[in-house]
Amino acid sequence: MLVHVDPDRCCGAGQCVLAAPEVFDQREDDGTVLLLDANPPAALVREVADAVAACPGGAIRLEEDPPR
């Protein structure tokens, strides 16, 4: 999976960090999303999907791996 974030859409709610702290953090200066791992392991797909669903600004997008 590939994770994309748009910091301009982020409102700093921090729901992504709560859902997947291995993948997301927040910038100290303004609280916007900080992507720690753009290509997290498949074991975290549920947590990342939860972060996408919980983001009030729609700032996170998940791209599934293409079929092989």
Side-chain angles (χ1 to χ4, degrees), residues 14-38:
Q15 297 302 307
C16 56
V17 180
L18 293 173
E22 304 89 345
V23 180
F24 304 102
D25 201 353
Q26 289 178 279
R27 296 185 192 280
E28 287 189 29
D29 59 339
D30 62 3
T32 57
V33 65
L34 179 63
L35 184 60
L36 301 176
D37 189 353

Side-chain angles (χ1 to χ4, degrees), residues 4-68:
H4 302 274
V5 297
D6 182 351
D8 293 332
R9 294 187 65 160
C10 179
C11 66
Q15 297 302 307
C16 56
V17 180
L18 293 173
E22 304 89 345
V23 180
F24 304 102
D25 201 353
Q26 289 178 279
R27 296 185 192 280
E28 287 189 29
D29 59 339
D30 62 3
T32 57
V33 65
L34 179 63
L35 184 60
L36 301 176
D37 189 353
N39 192 12
L44 294 176
V45 69
R46 179 178 215 146
E47 289 85 350
V48 174
D50 288 348
V52 171
C55 180
I60 306 167
R61 183 171 56 90
L62 177 61
E63 184 179 328
E64 299 287 337
D65 289 330
R68 295 178 187 202

